[in-house]
Amino acid sequence: MDTLIKVENLRVSYPVAGGLFGRGGGVVNAVDGVSFEISRGEIVGLVGESGSGKTTTGRAIIRLAPVSGGSVFYFNGKDKTDLAALSKREFFPFRKKIQMVFQDPFNSLDPRMTVFKILCEPLDIYFKLDKKAKLKRAEELMELVGLEPSHLFRFPHEFSGGQRQRIGIARALAVEPEFIICDEPVSALDVSVQAQIINLISDLRSKLNLTCLFIAHDIAVVEHISSRMMVMTEGKIVESGVSSELCSNPRHPYTRRLIDAVPKF
Amino acid sequence: MSMLSVENLKISFKSGGRVTEAVKGVSFHVDKGESVAIVGESGSGKSVTAMSLARLLPRDGSCEVSGRALFDSEDIFQMNPKELRALRGGKIAYVFQEPSTSLNPVFSVGEQIAEAVRLHRPEVKDVRACVVEALEEVGIRRAAERYSAYPHELSGGMQQRVMIAMALSCRPRLLVADEPTTALDVTIQKQIIDLLREILKNRGMSMILITHNFGIIRGLCSRVLVMFRGRIVESGPTEEILYNPKHPYTKALIACIPRLGRSGERLVSIDYEKIDREARELGYAY
């Protein structure tokens, strides 16, 4: 398999205030020695409850959370780079390769920017495009995520939750990334809209040959979209495997608990 | 005789000279001890229907409500302010979607529940003990200590338990739960649903549960009303609707729920044009 990302013994820990004047507190290990690999073109799910460390793992890969130990190797053919060891300047080109889609489509879009402006921000950073080319690219992106290109000059509040999440996805795709991290992209949406967004992400994966880490708390959602999944709790991955096998034959009691919580009918 | 009976409820909103009809003539009833679910997507009018039952909609002229809502044969829409104060919290209590924004961040959770108890149950002598008991009933451990906790010190699931304790503390006869688990993890969602089921059984209370997810109502609500574009398109016993839905919209809403054991399968997404076409063919009025 053609590996794209290899995470080795990743740790993220935060100091906890405690004792007199906040000194003498311990540390909390949000991510406690996590290792996994993701191959090119694959959608891998990461499931767990709030506080399990799944979001922090995603954020640490893209360096939105401070890495306290371990490595995140990014493969380019035979070359590999440890993202965790790079300086801010050295990391810059990788920001283009790795993009993120956030949970809350209401808070992750600037309410004072039109969709066009939202999509142009990443374009301006990485590409030198004239105004006409930018408009063309922005229209392409709108079509790609199933939005009306004529709505480019509307503001986020004029869109529904599902449409806003499409804008969030378009923004992530603007710089032509190889790898996207979707952090609970559907948990703020109605079930009917969830289905649309999940289908969109899997369509985009095959169309653009994207690789994706899909983070969610609902194991049924993750089983639908991912080929492999990892179950995380208390900062550790407790079980991982092929999604369908893992869901039909869970080994770890925590995985069973997640499966039990899915409404059945 | 139903405890709550809503007849031909219409709600419209005015903004910028435009009138939007959110609810277009809805009728339903809730019996004593019965639990009814209203299922629909965002914009179907399910939340405003629920809000109108305690007159929680804006009264600045931007919103018009017509029809009748009889609670114990008294029309809620004709009540004076004093009667409304007794109704809200005392007879009908609400639990909303987002516990973190429903709670006041500057008061301890115990104080917030105590305020409701003092207002609606002046006969209670030891308010603190009553609040602690309410917290225990919703499964909060070390309730006496948690009395003085602030909302930010509690997890989302715990906050929602506090909201439920607050709603129950005044012994309402009807609980309106508007998407009570949508902001929570699935595991916590299950705990909250189990808790609600337990409480309804113990208290013989009625409930209206508003949700967009058909998956959570089984075993919790005996009847379902499906709302679509301001109308109830289908209603009936939960099991019947879940396993034998008739209206194309109900079918679509049930089909799009992600289920286990369908790895790699494409999820069904709702095709509104198809629903309209099929509904017309089947003779559903629009």
Side-chain angles (χ1 to χ4, degrees):
Chain A
M1 278 292 239
D2 188 5
T3 307
L4 180 70
I5 291 265
K6 186 173 183 184
V7 172
E8 267 178 10
N9 203 20
L10 183 70
R11 281 172 194 283
V12 179
S13 46
Y14 294 103
V16 192
L20 193 59
F21 306 119
R23 275 179 293 188
V27 289
V28 57
N29 295 316
V31 179
D32 196 2
V34 156
S35 305
F36 59 88
E37 275 181 47
I38 301 177
S39 305
R40 248 173 226 279
E42 191 182 27
I43 297 185
V44 174
L46 181 58
V47 231
E49 286 174 282
S50 321
S52 61
K54 61 189 193 304
T55 294
T56 310
T57 302
R59 294 176 79 95
I61 292 174
I62 199 172
R63 305 241 312 223
L64 290 173
V67 176
S68 350
S71 324
V72 178
F73 291 109
Y74 196 92
F75 287 77
N76 187 4
K78 286 223 168 93
D79 299 338
K80 62 175 184 181
T81 319
D82 182 4
L83 301 181
L86 297 179
S87 71
K88 223 175 161 181
R89 181 187 291 264
E90 289 165 332
F91 184 68
F92 182 74
F94 289 94
R95 280 253 151 87
K96 180 178 172 299
K97 296 185 184 200
I98 312 174
Q99 285 288 312
M100 192 142 180
V101 176
F102 297 94
Q103 170 171 7
D104 189 335
F106 297 86
N107 291 325
S108 59
L109 301 175
D110 190 327
R112 292 173 303 177
M113 287 175 146
T114 60
V115 178
F116 181 62
K117 249 183 135 178
I118 289 170
L119 296 180
C120 280
E121 250 190 346
L123 292 176
D124 285 339
I125 296 171
Y126 291 100
F127 304 103
K128 298 255 174 297
L129 296 177
D130 60 28
K131 221 175 160 191
K132 226 173 127 186
K134 263 197 288 196
L135 185 64
K136 191 168 163 271
R137 177 73 183 131
E139 283 174 350
E140 273 171 23
L141 287 166
M142 291 289 271
E143 266 172 38
L144 190 63
V145 297
L147 290 171
E148 194 60 53
S150 62
H151 293 172
L152 258 183
F153 295 95
R154 293 193 178 179
F155 288 90
H157 75 263
E158 296 175 78
F159 294 90
S160 67
Q163 288 172 322
R164 282 186 225 204
Q165 199 54 289
R166 287 173 194 265
I167 298 170
I169 293 170
R171 175 176 61 186
L173 298 177
V175 295
E176 296 160 20
E178 292 178 318
F179 180 48
I180 55 171
I181 299 169
C182 298
D183 185 11
E184 298 267 16
V186 296
S187 56
L189 306 173
D190 270 14
V191 272
S192 52
V193 184
Q194 264 185 22
Q196 295 169 13
I197 298 294
I198 290 169
N199 287 343
L200 174 69
I201 293 173
S202 68
D203 287 348
L204 289 170
R205 184 202 67 92
S206 37
K207 208 185 270 178
L208 307 172
N209 193 27
L210 281 172
T211 308
C212 176
L213 177 65
F214 190 96
I215 302 170
H217 66 81
D218 188 340
I219 198 165
V221 167
V222 175
E223 195 202 359
H224 259 282
I225 194 167
S226 63
S227 49
R228 280 194 305 126
M229 69 161 94
M230 311 177 280
V231 180
M232 198 166 172
T233 181
E234 288 172 22
K236 290 188 167 73
I237 291 176
V238 293
E239 189 166 0
S240 63
V242 173
S243 299
S244 53
E245 284 168 23
L246 195 145
C247 287
S248 57
N249 188 17
R251 299 244 163 75
H252 197 276
Y254 182 75
T255 315
R256 276 185 220 137
R257 244 183 73 202
L258 287 180
I259 289 173
D260 279 345
V262 177
K264 281 163 201 75
F265 57 91
Chain B
M1 184 66 210
S2 300
M3 186 177 74
L4 174 78
S5 154
V6 175
E7 294 163 16
N8 201 21
L9 174 72
K10 288 182 182 167
I11 304 172
S12 55
F13 291 93
K14 266 180 243 162
S15 84
R18 224 178 22 188
V19 179
T20 316
E21 269 194 295
V23 178
K24 303 168 184 167
V26 155
S27 303
F28 64 93
H29 66 94
V30 179
D31 291 333
K32 190 171 174 294
E34 195 189 22
S35 167
V36 175
I38 304 183
V39 185
E41 290 170 282
S42 318
S44 62
K46 59 190 195 306
S47 284
V48 283
T49 299
M51 302 265 272
S52 74
L53 299 179
R55 298 260 296 271
L56 295 174
L57 297 169
R59 303 194 65 192
D60 54 4
S62 65
C63 170
E64 208 170 295
V65 179
S66 72
R68 295 205 301 172
L70 303 176
F71 191 87
D72 286 341
S73 320
E74 272 180 85
D75 191 352
I76 294 168
F77 300 154
Q78 304 300 330
M79 283 182 180
N80 64 36
K82 198 179 159 216
E83 289 169 325
L84 275 178
R85 273 200 300 279
L87 177 84
R88 292 177 183 143
K91 289 180 185 161
I92 303 183
Y94 282 76
V95 174
F96 294 105
Q97 174 172 353
E98 192 69 65
S100 57
T101 52
S102 303
L103 288 164
N104 188 333
V106 299
F107 292 103
S108 74
V109 293
E111 262 319 299
Q112 295 184 53
I113 300 175
E115 187 188 351
V117 174
R118 280 187 211 109
L119 186 69
H120 288 285
R121 294 170 65 197
E123 77 283 359
V124 173
K125 294 261 158 39
D126 191 348
V127 173
R128 198 185 171 97
C130 174
V131 172
V132 170
E133 199 185 304
L135 288 172
E136 276 167 356
E137 192 186 350
V138 296
I140 292 181
R141 269 169 285 174
R142 293 183 289 126
E145 283 170 51
R146 292 291 169 85
Y147 182 97
S148 25
Y150 287 88
H152 75 269
E153 297 175 281
L154 303 177
S155 66
M158 280 296 155
Q159 288 178 354
Q160 199 57 295
R161 284 174 196 263
V162 169
M163 289 306 298
I164 294 171
M166 192 185 298
L168 298 178
S169 64
C170 305
R171 317 223 162 267
R173 305 201 22 229
L174 173 66
L175 179 71
V176 181
D178 189 355
E179 304 265 13
T181 61
T182 304
L184 307 174
D185 274 10
V186 268
T187 40
I188 310 299
Q189 167 172 293
K190 183 164 186 277
Q191 292 172 13
I192 296 289
I193 288 170
D194 291 345
L195 173 69
L196 285 173
R197 188 185 299 129
E198 180 87 17
I199 288 168
L200 291 180
K201 206 177 80 192
N202 294 345
R203 290 219 178 171
M205 201 173 54
S206 307
M207 178 169 79
I208 297 178
L209 177 78
I210 315 275
T211 179
H212 63 85
N213 190 347
F214 252 112
I216 67 170
I217 62 173
R218 193 175 164 232
L220 182 58
C221 299
S222 52
R223 237 168 5 103
V224 198
L225 314 170
V226 183
M227 267 187 96
F228 180 47
R229 297 189 190 146
R231 288 195 175 89
I232 293 175
V233 292
E234 187 167 2
S235 63
T238 305
E239 301 283 317
E240 207 175 301
I241 300 242
L242 266 179
Y243 295 108
N244 192 14
K246 300 249 158 36
H247 195 281
Y249 178 70
T250 316
K251 285 183 189 164
L253 207 52
I254 293 173
C256 67
I257 303 168
R259 272 170 249 206
L260 282 165
R262 310 241 174 124
S263 179
E265 236 175 79
R266 207 175 163 74
L267 281 162
V268 182
S269 63
I270 296 188
D271 180 346
Y272 297 96
E273 282 171 24
K274 194 171 151 225
I275 288 172
D276 284 344
R277 204 171 52 237
E278 287 179 5
R280 240 178 275 120
E281 281 166 13
L282 290 166
Y284 287 102
Y286 267 96

